[in-house]
Amino acid sequence: MPTILIVVAVCGLLAIAYAIWATSSVLSADQGNARMREIAAAIREGAQAYLARQYTTIAIVGAVVFALTWFLLSLYAATGFAIGAILSGLAGFIGMNVSVRANVRTAQAASRSLALGLGIAFKSGAITGMLVAGLALLGVTVYFYVLTVQFGFAASDRTVIDALVSLGFGASLISIFARLGGGIFTKGADVGGDLVGKVEAGIPEDDPRNPATIADNVGDNVGDCAGMAADLFETYAVTVVATMVLGAIFFAGTDIIESAMVYPLAICGACIVTSIVGTFFVRLGANGSIMGALYKGLWATTLLSIVGLAIATWATIGFGDIGQSAAGLTINGLNLFICGIIGLVVTGLIVWITEFYTGIGFRPVRSISQASVTGHGTNVIQGLAVSLESTALPTIVIVGGIISTFQLAGLYGTAIAVTAMLGIAGMIIALDAFGPVTDNAGGIAEMAGLPADVRRSTDALDAVGNTTKAVTKGYAIGSAGLGALVLFAAYNYDLQYFVAQAQAGNGYEYFRDVQPDFALSNPYVVVGLLLGGLIPFLFGGMAMTAVGRAAGAIVEEVRKQFREDPGIMAGTSKPNYARAVDLLTKAAIKEMIVPSLLPVLAPIVVYFAVLLVADKSQAFSAVGAMLLGVIVTGLFVAISMTSGGGAWDNAKKSFEDGFVDSAGVRHMKGSEAHKASVTGDTVGDPYKDTAGPAVNPAIKITNIVALLLLAVLAHS
Amino acid sequence: MPTILIVVAVCGLLAIAYAIWATSSVLSADQGNARMREIAAAIREGAQAYLARQYTTIAIVGAVVFALTWFLLSLYAATGFAIGAILSGLAGFIGMNVSVRANVRTAQAASRSLALGLGIAFKSGAITGMLVAGLALLGVTVYFYVLTVQFGFAASDRTVIDALVSLGFGASLISIFARLGGGIFTKGADVGGDLVGKVEAGIPEDDPRNPATIADNVGDNVGDCAGMAADLFETYAVTVVATMVLGAIFFAGTDIIESAMVYPLAICGACIVTSIVGTFFVRLGANGSIMGALYKGLWATTLLSIVGLAIATWATIGFGDIGQSAAGLTINGLNLFICGIIGLVVTGLIVWITEFYTGIGFRPVRSISQASVTGHGTNVIQGLAVSLESTALPTIVIVGGIISTFQLAGLYGTAIAVTAMLGIAGMIIALDAFGPVTDNAGGIAEMAGLPADVRRSTDALDAVGNTTKAVTKGYAIGSAGLGALVLFAAYNYDLQYFVAQAQAGNGYEYFRDVQPDFALSNPYVVVGLLLGGLIPFLFGGMAMTAVGRAAGAIVEEVRKQFREDPGIMAGTSKPNYARAVDLLTKAAIKEMIVPSLLPVLAPIVVYFAVLLVADKSQAFSAVGAMLLGVIVTGLFVAISMTSGGGAWDNAKKSFEDGFVDSAGVRHMKGSEAHKASVTGDTVGDPYKDTAGPAVNPAIKITNIVALLLLAVLAHS
């Protein structure tokens, strides 16, 4: 086993090596003229200033949690927490720092050709992707190696499990703050800037006279790049950890427990290699289809990953019957391999469905464009209709995934499917993280007054970015849906373990009389489902309000700058970009705290509240049900928001080349229909980039906190 | 027991008597001038034409279902189905026919004083309310009496239970069609008419030159009156039936089974009387507060209902220990009485919370008005934020209700709380059904060119109507949330009963090897939760799309009329109102079919799909979980849509007297901020009047179909 762990770690290092190579390749590209460099510098400074402030705030919270974890659990757990938090922060930090340098280079490259622009933007995205996957895998693998090989703990020792769960918690905590803070920043700037710029002052998006324009571009980097990276880091880490924990519990007392814990790591290692190879397949074909170019990379990765899965299976558990689980189910290597393939198929289907719902040229986006012709109201109605409808197919795919993997290899099979799904996260993130780079490149092109065709190239890249952004979010939440049972099972089996130990007289006194009842007929289960189900709604509402408030503050600030210095609109004096960035930084940091605490505290509050009116058993039952409740509504809320938002955005973009309605009339940019589509886009902004994506970390953190609550109670 | 049944039936007859008295009182009022009568006649004709067509369509479906029920179950069941369907239709039909006569009389009365206008409108609403409660109670009571006393079946005989469930199914089927069809009609007319009238042609709402204006007023009657009546009839009937069925199962084999089945009927009987008394307390006070006047009636009813509950308890089960349930829990009459009071408290809290979220003058609506100042986009964002947030407090209230009632008297206690909640439905419906009457009265006043202050009176009534409409919807869905466990339990215990009988060799062979597992750790339970959770989202999306499509058709029609006859806009020739009504009638009937079938077929499809890949036990588990899944997401979707929509509507209304924003600027009707608020209102329209309210019948019908599925399989 140690050998395999070392091989996996080498795979993780390969990803880091790719990131270093790609970074030097991106940095060597031409940065364009002085004006472009100046704009890019302003964006870079703003983004760095925000991230510094955000990380400082998180560091304070993190230090407290670190101390608490040490005190309540152990130094091993606290160290795990620190590893998860620091590596997650690092992936976002480096990825964003590359992104703020790639933007201007992409603009410059796009002025030569679309293919060159795509090349730099995608490479920049791939750096973030590989860093996320590589650092997450390295963190888990190396810490697991250190704990089991160096310190000699058994793989299934509570110390190891607590340490891994704490690692996931560290990643989760960063993730919820980064997703929400970044999301509030980026959409506050976007919505506020558009309202006062496009609507009131009548100047185009990214016009250099708009004081919020730099903030808008900063937001792309801190929200869509750094925030997204933290989110996916967390999803990756939590999934791997949950699968390992499940392996440890599922095969407790059997001799395959170590293989079962190492297998998910091996899958991730193999898939990182295939993701790296896949990046070299991304190349603009003769038809000039950007989506087609990205798909080449994705399909190459997916197909190669089947081979990778086979190798990982062969190297760890083999393809035959590998033994029985603690529950007596015979586990077969081939079946697990097929489960992994199902995970990849689920990923492919979610990508395909998301593209259908958010891509220009398909029925949903067209229906929103068409509805824009009759006004703002009908645009929003149709957008909401699409957003609600877009949840159906992914749900059915997830249901199919759950049933098929469970039938093949029980819960562990489902966990392996989710692991394989997350295995290719490096590639998926690459598809996503290129979006903010091209968005920025477009902004720089506009502000620097580059020729219109440059903007056209960056816009074409950006439109695809809207879809790929939605894809990543659908993928992340989809993995949560497919993994719902795994996360719940980790909690359930942990609880069972403590109860069994307590009853056998092996400590854990707290759990002696606990008899959780997770049947739907138990009213505390229904209560847990309802309270869990509430979290995504309340959390989403808070996030939307925060964006509205931040945007309102930006509107006031921009109006003030216009009023104080009429030279800004005349183009004779420069607006104070930094003031807008600074204002948003403060607003986003302040606004992210309370909503982030909701999913962190919810399981704890519910546990003690139910304990107060009933007993421990019912309190554990309610918390367990809460974990499923938050996924059941969260899945729908997140998919509807992210797909709906992407569809609104692209419906707006469909007017840029003129949208031909059902009556054959062409509506151009600036028409009434286009204005209606801008309203939908504004609504979709916080939907898809703040509230929707933050639901995924909210789900995960609720689950992780519940696991930690068990661990802490066990230590008490 | 027969005596009590007769007393209950007399209470039901009292409600009918009240309705007859109030109808003659309303009809004796002055109908205003010739122009007003002419307009009212057009609305009346349109509404009657729509309802005739809708009922014809439903009758065809109903006849098929009647035959199927007869064939698959029994003539008793089919008769029950017919009773539920016909009485539900009758309540809506009569209520709406009074409503289309009260509108013009309200307009005329409002031209004399606000108090007189309120008097007629409220009385008209109370007619619908009493008819719904009275007919539903009579239907259940008399049929129960006939089956048990006349035909001599034991109260707990499967024939009786199947017949009662079928009665609920009949009500449900009418309800889903009426809610959805009516909702599509009313909002298609409203949205379409506004878009082409207010936005394109620049004419005010209800301007007689707008060809859609009559259709809009017809919609108020067929959607908000007849559709709502069918919905509440169904909620009432299903709740009473579910409580009776639960009583039958819960106390199976004990000697209190009959009391337990009659107790919910007695509660409803008592509460009908208190509702009738309460209507006489509705009177405009010196402060002129309309909401205050309505509250007087509501609080009178609620307080008197506590006395009524006491009498019902005393007359049926008494206040002492009344025996043990089949599960061995000792049931105490006093505790059940307290459960009933909790139901009333839940109702009061939901009313209060809904008023907070939708009433002018509170923080949520003000925040939407404020957001309108910065544009269409921020208005919609804030509205969505409010809609998401508004789910939190009702959920906590419902959770409190579940826990407290369960602790007092087990599941049967929860069922009694829901029964008491629904007991005062007559009063709640009265508060709601006065809304469309005043809305119509305003339209008639506008079209007939009555003085502006008449319109001001009707608008004041209408604004309160927006809140009371949201209240009724929150109340209906809240009862579903509180009753979630009851509905699931009816399914669960039914299933257990069949399995036990099969294993004891008493027939029901189909169930012999069934071992359902409703634990959250069962993947089929998670699958059921997810598929159930999908229904409200998909259903909501379909409903929103349908409204968008109907509204688009109206826009085309109105544009065509304006084009074909320029005299319409000039005011020299009359538009063809009937063509718009006819077009919408066809559209609404066509569009209601597919979404309505979704919740009807979903449990059947899920059952057989899971049966295909797994076995009977898992199929029953998945369907059971589906019943809770549909409530878990449905509760949030419905509350967010109805509260959010109400808030948007009243945010728009807040501009009518000028909204003073946070900077102290006053924004009047016609300002940019007002226009933004109109967009929000347009979005909120299908949210609150089509998709949101139809979720409640969708939940109920899914549950009822699942129960019938069991019954049919048992007969197979």
Side-chain angles (χ1 to χ4, degrees):
Chain A
M1 282 306 122
T3 326
I4 292 179
L5 287 177
I6 291 168
V7 173
V8 171
V10 169
C11 293
L13 289 173
L14 265 183
I16 312 293
Y18 172 88
I20 294 171
W21 166 79
T23 303
S24 73
S25 157
V26 167
L27 291 184
S28 69
D30 182 8
Q31 293 188 58
N33 63 34
R35 175 80 185 118
M36 289 163 73
R37 287 167 200 231
E38 184 197 350
I39 296 163
I43 297 174
R44 193 164 62 238
E45 282 158 26
Q48 285 165 342
Y50 173 79
L51 223 58
R53 195 144 178 171
Q54 178 180 284
Y55 282 158
T56 312
T57 309
I58 302 179
I60 298 168
V61 180
V64 175
V65 176
F66 178 84
L68 270 176
T69 313
W70 191 351
F71 174 72
L72 291 172
L73 289 170
S74 67
L75 182 56
Y76 295 114
T79 307
F81 170 79
I83 292 173
I86 291 170
L87 290 184
S88 166
L90 199 64
F93 181 78
I94 303 177
M96 197 204 73
N97 268 291
V98 172
S99 174
V100 292
R101 285 170 178 82
N103 52 9
V104 63
R105 293 168 171 87
T106 300
Q108 177 63 14
S111 69
R112 289 168 56 207
S113 84
L114 181 64
L116 287 172
L118 172 64
I120 294 192
F122 177 76
K123 212 172 269 167
S124 162
I127 293 166
T128 306
M130 294 312 156
L131 281 176
V132 167
L135 288 176
L137 185 60
L138 270 177
V140 176
T141 309
V142 171
Y143 198 42
F144 183 67
Y145 181 86
V146 169
L147 289 171
T148 53
V149 179
Q150 302 290 107
F151 287 99
F153 287 109
S156 62
D157 194 287
R158 290 308 307 176
T159 309
V160 176
I161 291 177
D162 288 352
L164 290 179
V165 171
S166 298
L167 192 154
F169 181 52
S172 284
L173 201 69
I174 295 286
S175 154
I176 188 119
F177 282 122
R179 249 306 182 195
L180 207 55
I184 294 168
F185 187 108
T186 181
K187 292 303 129 176
D190 195 354
V191 172
D194 280 4
L195 282 171
V196 77
K198 281 196 216 172
V199 182
E200 282 186 25
I203 52 179
E205 195 169 340
D206 295 321
D207 189 294
R209 290 171 292 177
N210 189 337
T213 188
I214 293 290
D216 187 7
N217 285 288
V218 168
D220 293 338
N221 292 294
V222 303
D224 299 345
C225 182
M228 180 274 296
D231 181 4
L232 269 288
F233 183 98
E234 179 248 26
T235 304
Y236 195 99
V238 170
T239 302
V240 174
V241 165
T243 308
M244 290 175 75
V245 170
L246 195 72
I249 299 164
F250 214 54
F251 299 98
T254 72
D255 54 357
I256 53 163
I257 182 166
E258 279 200 5
S259 308
M261 285 182 83
V262 171
Y263 184 43
L265 295 175
I267 291 175
C268 288
C271 289
I272 276 191
V273 177
T274 60
S275 297
I276 294 174
V277 176
T279 60
F280 295 100
F281 283 79
V282 174
R283 212 172 285 276
L284 208 58
N287 62 0
S289 158
I290 303 165
M291 203 72 199
L294 297 175
Y295 271 169
K296 275 185 236 163
L298 179 61
W299 298 142
T301 299
T302 308
L303 291 177
L304 288 171
S305 293
I306 296 178
V307 181
L309 269 174
I311 296 172
T313 309
W314 165 79
T316 52
I317 53 171
F319 285 97
D321 279 356
I322 55 170
Q324 286 202 326
S325 75
L329 180 73
T330 300
I331 301 291
N332 176 282
L334 180 63
N335 283 355
L336 287 176
F337 171 64
I338 297 172
C339 286
I341 295 176
I342 290 173
L344 296 174
V345 171
V346 167
T347 306
L349 288 173
I350 285 181
V351 170
W352 180 73
I353 294 165
T354 311
E355 197 199 340
F356 173 72
Y357 274 102
T358 61
I360 292 177
F362 297 102
R363 192 253 308 157
V365 169
R366 283 194 62 82
S367 76
I368 300 177
S369 305
Q370 175 66 37
S372 312
V373 175
T374 40
H376 299 261
T378 35
N379 166 289
V380 178
I381 290 174
Q382 187 57 31
L384 287 171
V386 166
S387 87
L388 292 166
E389 187 201 305
S390 68
T391 58
L393 292 178
T395 305
I396 291 167
V397 167
I398 288 166
V399 162
I402 291 176
I403 292 181
S404 55
T405 54
F406 186 82
Q407 290 197 337
L408 280 167
L411 260 185
Y412 186 68
T414 311
I416 289 301
V418 189
T419 303
M421 203 174 161
L422 262 302
I424 59 168
M427 187 66 199
I428 300 277
I429 298 170
L431 299 184
D432 180 325
F434 104 106
V437 176
T438 60
D439 202 344
N440 259 238
I444 293 172
E446 181 84 29
M447 283 186 271
L450 296 190
D453 62 317
V454 180
R455 182 72 208 226
R456 220 166 5 249
S457 288
T458 59
D459 268 356
L461 291 167
D462 193 27
V464 171
N466 281 331
T467 296
T468 58
K469 268 163 68 177
V471 163
T472 317
K473 290 160 193 162
Y475 162 82
I477 190 73
S479 75
L482 187 54
L485 261 169
V486 178
L487 292 169
F488 174 76
Y491 173 86
N492 185 18
Y493 286 132
D494 246 21
L495 185 55
Q496 282 182 14
Y497 171 84
F498 290 130
V499 172
Q501 293 294 322
Q503 284 169 352
N506 300 333
Y508 305 123
E509 268 309 296
Y510 188 87
F511 293 88
R512 190 201 288 273
D513 301 319
V514 172
Q515 281 186 307
D517 169 15
F518 292 119
L520 294 176
S521 50
N522 178 359
Y524 294 97
V525 165
V526 173
V527 163
L529 285 173
L530 289 175
L531 292 177
L534 173 59
I535 293 176
F537 279 83
L538 184 54
F539 181 78
M542 286 171 159
M544 297 283 282
T545 305
V547 171
R549 222 162 12 211
I554 277 294
V555 168
E556 304 282 317
E557 167 65 25
V558 172
R559 281 179 185 163
K560 199 169 139 205
Q561 289 203 23
F562 282 159
R563 210 166 46 231
E564 286 172 359
D565 184 357
I568 296 177
M569 272 301 283
T572 54
S573 52
K574 261 178 61 177
N576 189 339
Y577 299 124
R579 232 165 67 191
V581 171
D582 194 52
L583 182 150
L584 266 176
T585 301
K586 285 181 195 146
I589 302 288
K590 201 183 84 189
E591 299 274 5
M592 78 180 179
I593 304 286
V594 175
S596 296
L597 291 180
L598 175 69
V600 175
L601 297 181
I604 302 171
V605 170
V606 167
Y607 179 78
F608 288 104
V610 176
L611 187 60
L612 206 69
V613 298
D615 56 27
K616 284 180 198 170
S617 302
Q618 300 296 22
F620 284 121
S621 306
V623 171
M626 178 173 217
L627 305 187
L628 275 180
V630 68
I631 294 181
V632 169
T633 66
L635 181 74
F636 298 104
V637 170
I639 294 179
S640 69
M641 285 183 168
T642 55
S643 288
W648 261 315
D649 200 339
N650 276 340
K652 182 195 71 177
K653 286 214 187 299
S654 75
F655 285 91
E656 289 183 357
D657 305 321
F659 169 75
V660 182
D661 72 15
S662 59
V665 181
R666 180 179 284 272
H667 302 265
M668 295 304 295
K669 204 169 169 171
S671 63
E672 282 305 312
H674 175 248
K675 281 185 197 154
S677 77
V678 171
T679 294
D681 177 42
T682 309
V683 174
D685 271 341
Y687 236 47
K688 76 180 196 305
D689 290 324
T690 314
V695 167
N696 178 40
I699 292 174
K700 299 281 166 51
I701 208 161
T702 309
N703 277 275
I704 287 277
V705 169
L707 284 180
L708 284 177
L709 180 68
L710 287 184
V712 169
L713 292 174
H715 271 69
S716 68
Chain B
M1 283 306 121
T3 324
I4 293 179
L5 287 177
I6 290 166
V7 173
V8 171
V10 169
C11 293
L13 288 173
L14 265 184
I16 312 294
Y18 172 89
I20 294 170
W21 166 79
T23 304
S24 73
S25 159
V26 166
L27 292 184
S28 69
D30 182 8
Q31 295 188 58
N33 62 36
R35 174 82 185 117
M36 289 164 71
R37 289 169 199 228
E38 183 197 351
I39 297 163
I43 297 173
R44 194 167 60 238
E45 281 159 26
Q48 286 166 339
Y50 172 79
L51 224 58
R53 195 142 176 172
Q54 177 180 285
Y55 283 157
T56 311
T57 309
I58 302 180
I60 297 167
V61 179
V64 174
V65 177
F66 178 86
L68 268 176
T69 313
W70 190 351
F71 175 72
L72 292 171
L73 289 170
S74 66
L75 182 56
Y76 295 114
T79 307
F81 170 80
I83 292 174
I86 290 169
L87 289 184
S88 167
L90 200 63
F93 181 79
I94 302 177
M96 198 204 73
N97 267 294
V98 173
S99 176
V100 293
R101 285 171 177 83
N103 52 9
V104 63
R105 291 166 171 88
T106 300
Q108 177 64 13
S111 70
R112 289 169 55 207
S113 84
L114 181 64
L116 287 174
L118 172 64
I120 294 192
F122 177 76
K123 211 172 270 170
S124 162
I127 294 166
T128 307
M130 295 311 155
L131 280 177
V132 166
L135 288 176
L137 185 60
L138 271 178
V140 176
T141 309
V142 172
Y143 198 41
F144 183 68
Y145 181 88
V146 169
L147 289 171
T148 55
V149 179
Q150 303 290 108
F151 287 99
F153 288 109
S156 61
D157 194 287
R158 291 306 310 176
T159 309
V160 176
I161 292 177
D162 288 352
L164 289 179
V165 170
S166 299
L167 191 153
F169 180 53
S172 284
L173 201 69
I174 295 285
S175 156
I176 189 117
F177 283 122
R179 250 305 184 197
L180 208 55
I184 294 168
F185 187 108
T186 181
K187 292 303 129 174
D190 196 353
V191 172
D194 280 4
L195 282 170
V196 77
K198 281 196 215 169
V199 182
E200 284 186 24
I203 52 178
E205 194 170 339
D206 295 322
D207 189 293
R209 287 171 293 177
N210 188 337
T213 189
I214 293 288
D216 187 7
N217 284 288
V218 168
D220 294 337
N221 292 295
V222 302
D224 300 344
C225 183
M228 182 274 296
D231 180 4
L232 270 288
F233 183 98
E234 178 247 28
T235 304
Y236 194 100
V238 170
T239 302
V240 174
V241 165
T243 307
M244 291 174 76
V245 171
L246 196 72
I249 299 165
F250 214 54
F251 299 98
T254 72
D255 54 357
I256 52 164
I257 183 167
E258 280 201 4
S259 306
M261 287 182 81
V262 171
Y263 184 39
L265 294 174
I267 291 176
C268 289
C271 289
I272 277 191
V273 177
T274 63
S275 297
I276 294 174
V277 176
T279 60
F280 295 100
F281 283 80
V282 174
R283 210 171 287 274
L284 209 58
N287 63 359
S289 158
I290 303 164
M291 202 71 198
L294 297 175
Y295 272 169
K296 273 184 238 163
L298 179 60
W299 298 143
T301 299
T302 308
L303 291 177
L304 288 172
S305 292
I306 296 178
V307 182
L309 269 174
I311 296 172
T313 310
W314 165 80
T316 52
I317 55 171
F319 286 97
D321 279 356
I322 54 169
Q324 288 201 325
S325 74
L329 181 73
T330 301
I331 301 291
N332 176 282
L334 181 61
N335 283 354
L336 287 176
F337 170 63
I338 298 173
C339 286
I341 295 178
I342 291 173
L344 296 174
V345 171
V346 167
T347 305
L349 288 172
I350 285 180
V351 170
W352 180 73
I353 295 165
T354 310
E355 198 199 339
F356 173 73
Y357 274 102
T358 61
I360 291 179
F362 298 102
R363 192 252 308 157
V365 170
R366 281 195 62 83
S367 75
I368 299 176
S369 304
Q370 175 66 38
S372 312
V373 175
T374 39
H376 299 260
T378 35
N379 166 290
V380 178
I381 290 174
Q382 188 56 32
L384 287 171
V386 166
S387 87
L388 292 166
E389 187 201 305
S390 68
T391 57
L393 291 178
T395 305
I396 291 169
V397 168
I398 288 165
V399 162
I402 291 176
I403 292 182
S404 56
T405 54
F406 187 82
Q407 290 197 338
L408 280 167
L411 259 183
Y412 186 68
T414 311
I416 289 302
V418 189
T419 303
M421 203 173 160
L422 262 301
I424 60 168
M427 187 66 200
I428 300 278
I429 297 170
L431 299 185
D432 180 326
F434 102 105
V437 176
T438 61
D439 202 344
N440 259 238
I444 293 171
E446 182 83 30
M447 283 185 271
L450 296 190
D453 63 318
V454 180
R455 181 73 207 227
R456 215 158 17 242
S457 288
T458 59
D459 268 357
L461 291 168
D462 193 27
V464 171
N466 281 331
T467 296
T468 57
K469 266 163 70 179
V471 162
T472 316
K473 290 160 193 162
Y475 161 83
I477 189 74
S479 75
L482 187 54
L485 262 168
V486 178
L487 293 170
F488 173 76
Y491 173 85
N492 185 17
Y493 287 130
D494 246 20
L495 185 54
Q496 281 182 15
Y497 171 83
F498 289 130
V499 173
Q501 293 294 322
Q503 284 168 353
N506 300 334
Y508 306 123
E509 267 309 298
Y510 188 87
F511 293 88
R512 190 201 287 273
D513 300 319
V514 172
Q515 281 187 307
D517 169 15
F518 292 119
L520 295 177
S521 49
N522 179 0
Y524 295 96
V525 165
V526 174
V527 163
L529 285 173
L530 289 175
L531 292 177
L534 172 60
I535 293 176
F537 279 84
L538 184 54
F539 181 77
M542 286 170 158
M544 297 282 282
T545 306
V547 171
R549 222 164 10 214
I554 277 295
V555 168
E556 306 282 317
E557 167 65 23
V558 172
R559 282 179 184 161
K560 198 168 141 206
Q561 290 204 22
F562 282 158
R563 209 166 46 233
E564 285 174 358
D565 182 357
I568 296 178
M569 272 302 281
T572 53
S573 53
K574 260 179 61 175
N576 189 339
Y577 300 124
R579 230 164 68 190
V581 172
D582 194 52
L583 181 151
L584 266 175
T585 300
K586 285 183 194 143
I589 302 288
K590 200 183 85 189
E591 299 274 4
M592 78 180 180
I593 304 286
V594 175
S596 296
L597 291 180
L598 176 68
V600 175
L601 297 181
I604 302 171
V605 171
V606 167
Y607 179 79
F608 288 104
V610 176
L611 187 61
L612 206 69
V613 298
D615 55 27
K616 282 180 198 170
S617 301
Q618 300 296 21
F620 283 121
S621 306
V623 171
M626 179 171 217
L627 305 187
L628 274 180
V630 69
I631 293 180
V632 170
T633 66
L635 181 73
F636 297 105
V637 170
I639 294 179
S640 69
M641 284 181 168
T642 53
S643 287
W648 261 315
D649 200 339
N650 275 339
K652 182 195 72 174
K653 285 214 186 296
S654 76
F655 284 92
E656 291 187 352
D657 306 321
F659 169 74
V660 181
D661 71 15
S662 59
V665 182
R666 180 178 285 270
H667 302 265
M668 296 303 297
K669 204 168 168 171
S671 63
E672 281 304 314
H674 176 248
K675 281 184 196 153
S677 76
V678 171
T679 294
D681 177 42
T682 309
V683 174
D685 271 340
Y687 236 49
K688 74 179 199 306
D689 290 324
T690 313
V695 167
N696 178 41
I699 291 174
K700 298 282 166 52
I701 208 162
T702 310
N703 277 275
I704 287 277
V705 170
L707 284 180
L708 283 178
L709 179 67
L710 286 184
V712 169
L713 292 174
H715 271 70
S716 68

